[in-house]
Amino acid sequence: QVQLVESGGGVVQPGKSLRLSCVASGFSFWDSAMHWVRQAPGRGLEWVAVLAYDGSDKQYVDSVKGRFTVSRDNSKNTVYLEMKNLRADDTAVYYCAKLQAAGVSSWGQGTQVTVSS
Amino acid sequence: FSLTQPHSVSGSPGTTVTISCTRSSGSIANNFVQWYQQRPGSAPVTVIYRDDRRPSGVPVRFSGSIDRSSNSASLTISGLQTEDEADYYCQSYDGSNHWVFGGGTRLTVL
């Protein structure tokens, strides 16, 4: 079955950087677009970014453009989210997800990112 | 574009509730809609995909539909059970590969 395991979360000061990782198994990772979705405390889900199966296309929500970068290593079945210049409003649980337009989506368990001085 | 959901709905056990999801621009019919259930402290789980299809393991009490006239999607839960109490999110995308979630609806089973 599909498994997505995130790591790399933690507490970081405003303006600093953090890199999240997501290791995938149970499906053809090399052939799948991958997404990052976040959820601030007490708030709803917010789509953050998508990366095409071959890395050729990357899209971001406006609030993270220029600060966040999504990448992948298909040899390691891993997708990354590099976050720079972090702000307090980036505090959230970050989910790695295999969102599908016409199929069943799968989600990781999430990793907490807290931006605080 | 955005997806608008009611903040909350409620119903008694055994009744039927419907959660709406209205798309602000672009046709609801042009891009598939998914629905997710999220219980406190847990990751979302797909309950409806491709507008109206149920993943295996999701009870038949859950159904989805779209309405072109109101440019909206709906999630209907019949025979409400206490275990259905959760947050529900609709989700779709556009031609630029930007994905959007609705604001979420808190379902309370009275």
Side-chain angles (χ1 to χ4, degrees):
Chain A
Q1 72 279 19
V2 174
Q3 270 203 310
L4 300 168
V5 180
E6 304 95 336
S7 61
V11 180
V12 62
Q13 294 178 330
K16 299 296 188 182
S17 301
L18 205 60
R19 188 178 83 156
L20 306 182
S21 301
C22 171
V23 178
S25 61
F27 65 100
S28 302
F29 179 79
W30 58 270
D31 197 29
S32 300
M34 295 299 296
H35 297 251
W36 287 94
V37 177
R38 68 184 178 182
Q39 187 169 34
R43 305 294 295 272
L45 301 171
E46 179 183 37
W47 176 78
V48 174
V50 60
L51 178 60
Y53 73 100
D54 60 357
S56 63
D57 183 41
K58 304 177 184 182
Q59 300 293 332
Y60 302 91
V61 69
D62 285 348
S63 59
V64 308
K65 282 181 182 176
R67 301 188 301 121
F68 288 14
T69 303
V70 61
S71 62
R72 65 193 296 158
D73 185 340
N74 284 350
S75 69
K76 297 181 178 179
N77 275 18
T78 302
V79 62
Y80 305 97
L81 184 67
E82 184 80 35
M83 304 183 293
K84 297 182 177 180
N85 193 19
L86 283 161
R87 311 185 305 218
D89 61 359
D90 294 318
T91 294
V93 174
Y94 284 74
Y95 293 101
C96 167
K98 181 176 178 285
L99 300 183
Q100 297 197 87
V104 181
S105 300
S106 302
W107 299 70
Q109 84 288 350
T111 187
Q112 176 71 49
V113 172
T114 302
V115 184
S116 174
S117 55
Chain B
F1 72 99
S2 61
L3 297 171
T4 300
Q5 301 179 229
H7 291 298
S8 64
V9 297
S10 62
S12 301
T15 62
T16 297
V17 295
T18 297
I19 300 172
S20 62
C21 170
T22 302
R23 182 164 176 151
S24 62
S25 61
S27 173
I28 193 74
N30 285 353
N31 308 103
F32 290 125
V33 175
Q34 280 63 240
W35 289 91
Y36 303 100
Q37 176 192 69
Q38 186 181 35
R39 295 193 173 99
S42 297
V45 173
T46 304
V47 292
I48 293 291
Y49 69 100
R50 203 168 175 171
D51 295 341
D52 58 5
R53 302 195 180 186
R54 273 179 298 103
S56 60
V58 173
V60 296
R61 304 183 293 103
F62 289 79
S63 63
S65 64
I66 62 168
D67 181 354
R68 290 171 173 79
S69 65
S70 61
N71 212 34
S72 65
S74 293
L75 172 69
T76 298
I77 309 172
S78 58
L80 208 57
Q81 299 183 2
T82 54
E83 67 200 47
D84 299 333
E85 189 160 289
D87 293 328
Y88 291 85
Y89 296 90
C90 60
Q91 172 261 305
S92 192
Y93 52 96
D94 65 16
S96 300
N97 201 21
H98 282 239
W99 295 60
V100 174
F101 289 89
T105 299
R106 173 68 54 86
L107 169 60
T108 302
V109 181
L110 304 170

